Each structure stands twice: as C-alpha cells, then as structure tokens.
Amino acid sequence: MKREMTGAEMVLQALKDQGVEHVFGYPGGAVLPIYDEIIQQDAVRHVLVRHEQGAGHAAEGYARSTGKPGVVLVTSGPGATNMVTALADAMLDSIPMVCITGQVPTNLIGNDAFQECDTVGITRPCTKHNWLVRRVEDLPRILHEAFYVATTGRPGPVVIDIPKDVQFATGEYEGPRHVAHKSYRPRVKGDMDAIRRAVELLSRARRPIFYTGGGVINSGPAACQLLRELIELTGAPITSTLMGLGAFPASGKQWLGMLGMHGTYEANMAMHDCDVMINIGARFDDRITGRLDAFSPNSLKVHVDIDPSSINKTVTVDIPIVGDVAHVLEDMVRLWRTGSHQIDKAALDGWWSQIDGWRARNSLAYRPSEDIIMPQYAIQRLYEKTKGRETYVSTEVGQHQMWAAQFFGFEEPNHWLTSGGLGTMGYGLPAAIGAQVAHPEALCVDIAGDASILMNIQEMSTAVQFGLPVKIFILNNQYMGMVRQWQQLLHGNRLSHSYMESLPDFVKLAEAYGGHGIRVDKPADLDAALDEMIATPKPVIFDCRVANLTNCFPMIPSGKAHNEMLLPDEANDEAIANAISADGKALV
C-alpha cells in the first residue's frame, strides 16, 4: 500500500521494512531531517559514534557477527569522506553495508556549497553501487534496491546520497515488494556439469586440499555446515584464509590452520604439493599465493565463487564454478553421496602421513619466558579463559592480528572480525562495539596493538555511553610491531619512526573515559588479570606489556613460494639474508 510521507520519513520506514534494528551514525546539517525522524520513534536504535570512520567499522562488526547488513547514517562533505576508509574496507572483505549520506540541496550541487563533496564520485571505486537521489519519487525504490544489492551476490557496501531538499519533499512510499535491480542479477546456482567434473576430479585425487575463504561464511550457516560435511565425507585436509577462520572448526582433525604469509607450515606445504585444490569462496589474493608462477605448480584447481570477476583474475583454474557457496556445496555433497565416491585410501593415508611430518615441525613454536609475557602466550591464555563463552574477537592490524589468527581457535563462523584486504588500523575497537550492540550478552574482545588502538580510541566514549562492555586487550610492545619487523628484516634494523615513543597511560585513559584499566607485565599475573577483565561489567582497556622485539613467524617472504617459508627456528641472520631475493624485493 502506498502512503504519503516526506523523504526523511521514507528513510526510517524503509529501515523498519528491511528489518533494521540498529544504525550507527553522526548527525550534521545535511541529515538533520532524518535525525528528526529518528528521535520520534523507537523501532530503530541509533548508536552515536565519535567519528564517522568508527560508524563504518562498527557497522562492519555488526554485519560480520550477525550476517545482516550494517547500516550507517552520516552527513555530507567531511561526514561522507570520513566514511571512505570503512567503505573500502567493507568492499575488499565483502561485508554488507548500507551507508546513507546527506547531501546539499539539489540546486546547490556543483556550486561548492558548504560541506558539499561529490560523494557518488568519491565512493564509486569502493562500493558495489551508489545512488544520488534527485527526486523523492525515486527514494523508496532506491532504498530497497540498496539493501538488495548490498546483501546478495558477493556482499559489499553501497551508498545512498540524499540531498536535503529531497529529505523535506513529500511523495508516495511503497514497501519492498519484488525488489530487484535492472542490471544486477547475481548467479546463485552453479553449473551442474562443472560441479560434476569437480566431484570426479576430487574423487581421483591423491593429494587433495580444500582452500576456503570468507565467501563460505558470507554464504551463511548452511554453507559452513555443508563444508564440514563434505570435508568429513572426503577425508581431505582443509585450510583457510584469514577471512575464512571459523567456517571449519579449529579443533577438527582435518584442519591444517591458516595458510598464507603467516600461515602454518603444514597448510602452506600442502597447498604447494597438492594435486587437486578446491578453492571455495576465496579470491587467490597476494597474501595467500606468494609468487604466482610458483603457486601450487602441479595441481589441478577448482574455484567456487559467486563473483564471476574473481574467476581466473589472478590464478587460472581448471574448473571454474560461479555460484553461491551453499548451493554449490549442497550439489557437491549430494553428488558425492549418490555416486558413492571415495578418494583412494592408500594415497590419502600417504598424503596425511606427509602432512603429519610437516606438522611435526611445530611452525608456531616460540620460546616461553617466566620473566616477560610473550605475545603468543598472551593470546593462548586469552583463548583458554574465553573457552565455553559466547565470544566475538575483533582485531586491529599488525603482528597482534596474525598472532590472534594463529593462536585463537575459532569453532564457529561469524565470531572472528578482522580487516583482511585493506588492513585497516583502527578497525578493531569500533568493530567490537558493533558486535556488542548485536550481541549484548556476549563477550566482545578487541585484540589490539599499542599503535593501532590509538587510531579510533575515541570510540571508548561510545562504548561507555551505551553501556557496551567491550574489552580492549592490547599487546603493548611500544612499537608499530609489523613495521618494525619489516624494518629489522629488510632495512638493516633502521627503525624509522616505528617506535611509539610517547604512549598514553592506558589505565588512566580507560578511567578518563569512564571505563576500567588493567596493566600487567608478568606472566604469573596474567590469568588473574584476564579473569578481572572478563568479569568487569563495563568497557576495559587491558595494557598487556609483552616482549618488545618478538617477530611474527612463520613467514613467506615476498617473491617466494609456499615451500620457501621462514620458520621460527630458522630466523637467524643468514636465513633472513637468503630469504631476500636477489633483486632486493621486500620480505613482505
């Protein structure tokens, strides 16, 4: 049924009709009509952030932890440009987000009016689609299209730019019936002939491996369950990208750990030596492949992805399958069962024996200490303390992020929230806030670095205002850790501006915001302090002082193949020198 209402009213009604419960935002002149509608209703809760980038990352954390789109509302000009980093982050990591921006009145567009910018032009490269709404008559359709585009196919962010006069104008609103886009038709079902060939190829494999990514999680709980079923049926090993952690349980006996630049030795060696690789929902990005001409050189490759532009973009595959992961996996499981397929047992046993030999290298080993907290040990203790609880873990970006991926075991999807493709420092705290808004009874922890946490520390104020008891667990080594590691390994240990010389007192900072602060620098005190952090019913900043110069291993040097990993016990000066390629390419 059509109803007469203003453009601002249409925005709120569309959010309600789309099932939106929370919006993250920051008001300004160009969106005041929408904010005036927000205050007059209770169905959609608004979370006031302290910076628009924080709103975007909070929406990402909300989306990643729920599978629902995150929604952001910001003003024109600087409000919109402050959102660009979060939009680019969501675009690279396929996170569904609907960003509503205000714009100057239509008669002022192009006149360099106060707080005007070309939001559509600026955000075009970092969104799936964007709209400038010039007529109120088009607004209802565009609002519903935006949710459809953001959440279907390969998910991603969209922007709706609404001039202020359109928000004041009146028109007829209609709900989301038969929502579609005239040129956007994502393919859901995979080609059955290709799926049959993939199943046949897998059944003939002697050294198979499943390489999975964030696309499995984006496809939903059914996809993760079907993946687990297929892995159990085949008996094959499985590894995952950073974004795919949790789709398969870390405790599973066929789990090899994360692969890639800081992945496990067994995962990377198995990827290099396999004869059949089944890529499900990953995009062959450079952090995974290493040197392309030496990437898994003797394998036949299957690639399942809903985004046709990802197929053969980086790595040419033998069997491409365009379709939604859940649908394709359902077909693969059915064909495997009905065809009574089985991988040659003797060959598979030999493959697992080889993998067990690689596992024995214990590539995540580190030297423990009774005097100083090793960062790996800190993550392990945090993991043990959170077992059995509903826990959502976000991270900032750097060494702490890689250690979290290596040492925190994820059993379920949607509980690991991290910035993969863009590598955005400042992501973790607002992402944890977004997850806490969605899951108020859960434990939401941001594993942070002392440098990264300062990028969006102002969002502590948001957490305190809204009673969101997020925990910020800082691995404080007084450095931009990953930058320092690269400088040490490649640039003659010339630590150019990577030492954080003037850090705040994080305990006092927590208290200044109205939260709780904890500082620990001895391993013997860590467990009790973690218990205190978890039990505290308000936001906590935990300053965990760790070994200053610890490096993150294992590591695939840039320009090297998966079988040329640098392991912790090999990371001496000679090995590092040999890892640097003859043409002087960087290690990372």
Side-chain angles (χ1 to χ4, degrees), residues 11-12 15-16 19-23 38 41-46:
V11 171
L12 265 295
L15 296 181
K16 295 172 189 176
V20 173
E21 297 175 347
H22 298 94
V23 171
I38 287 176
Q41 55 83 53
D42 299 317
V44 179
R45 181 186 177 198
H46 181 272

Side-chain angles (χ1 to χ4, degrees), residues 480-557:
M480 299 177 202
M482 194 64 85
V483 173
R484 180 208 52 75
Q485 176 171 334
W486 302 344
Q487 289 173 334
Q488 177 192 345
L489 299 182
L490 182 66
H491 296 284
N493 206 31
R494 293 180 295 277
L495 306 185
S496 178
H497 300 281
S498 56
Y499 175 54
M500 301 299 290
E501 190 167 351
S502 181
L503 287 170
D505 181 325
F506 284 111
V507 172
K508 289 183 178 178
L509 186 62
E511 292 169 352
Y513 274 114
H516 180 63
I518 302 172
R519 180 185 297 116
V520 170
D521 58 10
K522 297 296 182 185
D525 300 329
L526 184 57
D527 276 17
L530 285 169
D531 290 337
E532 179 185 347
M533 179 188 81
I534 292 168
T536 301
K538 60 181 180 179
V540 175
I541 298 180
F542 189 123
D543 184 3
C544 185
R545 300 297 182 96
V546 299
N548 294 81
L549 301 177
T550 304
N551 285 332
C552 186
F553 292 108
M555 178 178 178
I556 302 176

Side-chain angles (χ1 to χ4, degrees), residues 277-297:
M277 177 192 300
I278 312 292
N279 176 338
I280 303 178
R283 58 187 176 89
F284 290 112
D285 75 280
D286 61 292
R287 302 288 95 169
I288 297 302
T289 60
R291 198 175 91 223
L292 274 175
D293 63 359
F295 172 66
S296 193

Side-chain angles (χ1 to χ4, degrees), residues 102-113:
Q103 184 55 274
V104 299
T106 52
N107 66 306
L108 293 181
I109 292 175
N111 288 328
D112 296 329

Side-chain angles (χ1 to χ4, degrees), residues 7 69 151 178 213 374 427 429 450 463 533 581-582:
T151 57
H178 311 298
M374 299 302 291
Y427 170 91
L429 172 54
D450 50 282
M533 179 188 81
S581 56

Side-chain angles (χ1 to χ4, degrees), residues 141-370:
R141 171 185 57 81
I142 289 172
L143 286 164
H144 299 311
E145 275 185 14
F147 279 88
Y148 171 71
V149 172
T151 57
T152 57
R154 178 179 174 180
V158 298
V159 166
I160 313 166
D161 197 32
I162 311 175
K164 194 168 184 178
D165 59 318
V166 174
Q167 298 171 42
F168 279 123
T170 57
E172 289 188 334
Y173 173 84
E174 188 172 12
R177 294 190 303 171
H178 311 298
V179 176
H181 188 276
K182 59 185 177 183
S183 60
Y184 173 69
R185 298 285 189 274
R187 182 173 178 176
V188 174
K189 294 288 290 181
D191 180 77
M192 280 307 300
D193 287 338
I195 295 172
R196 285 192 187 92
R197 285 189 286 122
V199 168
E200 291 290 340
L201 179 64
L202 180 59
S203 69
R204 297 195 303 270
R206 300 179 65 82
R207 301 185 306 280
I209 189 167
F210 282 85
Y211 152 38
T212 59
V216 181
I217 295 173
N218 285 341
S219 186
C224 297
Q225 187 56 46
L226 286 162
L227 174 68
R228 297 172 186 212
E229 188 176 346
L230 184 59
I231 298 303
E232 185 176 351
L233 284 171
T234 62
I238 177 172
T239 182
S240 165
T241 67
L242 180 74
M243 295 303 297
L245 296 177
F248 189 86
S251 61
K253 65 180 187 298
Q254 290 159 261
W255 173 245
L256 304 187
M258 183 179 72
L259 81 156
M261 179 169 284
H262 292 288
T264 65
Y265 185 64
E266 55 267 30
N268 284 322
M269 290 299 293
M271 284 284 284
H272 185 271
D273 284 4
C274 69
D275 67 347
V276 171
M277 177 192 300
I278 312 292
N279 176 338
I280 303 178
R283 58 187 176 89
F284 290 112
D285 75 280
D286 61 292
R287 302 288 95 169
I288 297 302
T289 60
R291 198 175 91 223
L292 274 175
D293 63 359
F295 172 66
S296 193
N298 299 312
S299 67
L300 296 171
K301 300 174 181 67
V302 177
H303 188 186
V304 179
D305 204 297
I306 199 165
D307 181 6
S309 71
S310 291
I311 302 289
N312 293 327
K313 179 174 70 175
T314 305
V315 172
T316 301
V317 299
D318 300 278
I319 303 178
I321 302 173
V322 177
D324 176 68
V325 165
H327 286 81
V328 174
L329 282 174
E330 183 179 23
D331 289 334
M332 291 182 77
V333 168
R334 187 181 67 256
L335 290 172
W336 190 272
R337 286 187 182 280
T338 58
S340 301
H341 292 291
Q342 187 174 356
I343 298 174
D344 182 270
K345 187 178 186 307
L348 193 58
D349 287 347
W351 181 226
W352 274 111
S353 178
Q354 174 67 76
I355 290 171
D356 288 340
W358 292 323
R359 275 177 168 163
R361 293 293 300 271
N362 194 13
S363 64
L364 298 181
Y366 62 93
R367 186 175 300 166
S369 171
E370 294 183 358

Side-chain angles (χ1 to χ4, degrees), residues 1-5 10 137 140 171-175 177:
M1 188 176 81
K2 294 183 179 181
R3 287 168 286 170
E4 189 84 8
M5 57 181 71
M10 290 178 184
E137 293 83 0
E172 289 188 334
Y173 173 84
E174 188 172 12
R177 294 190 303 171

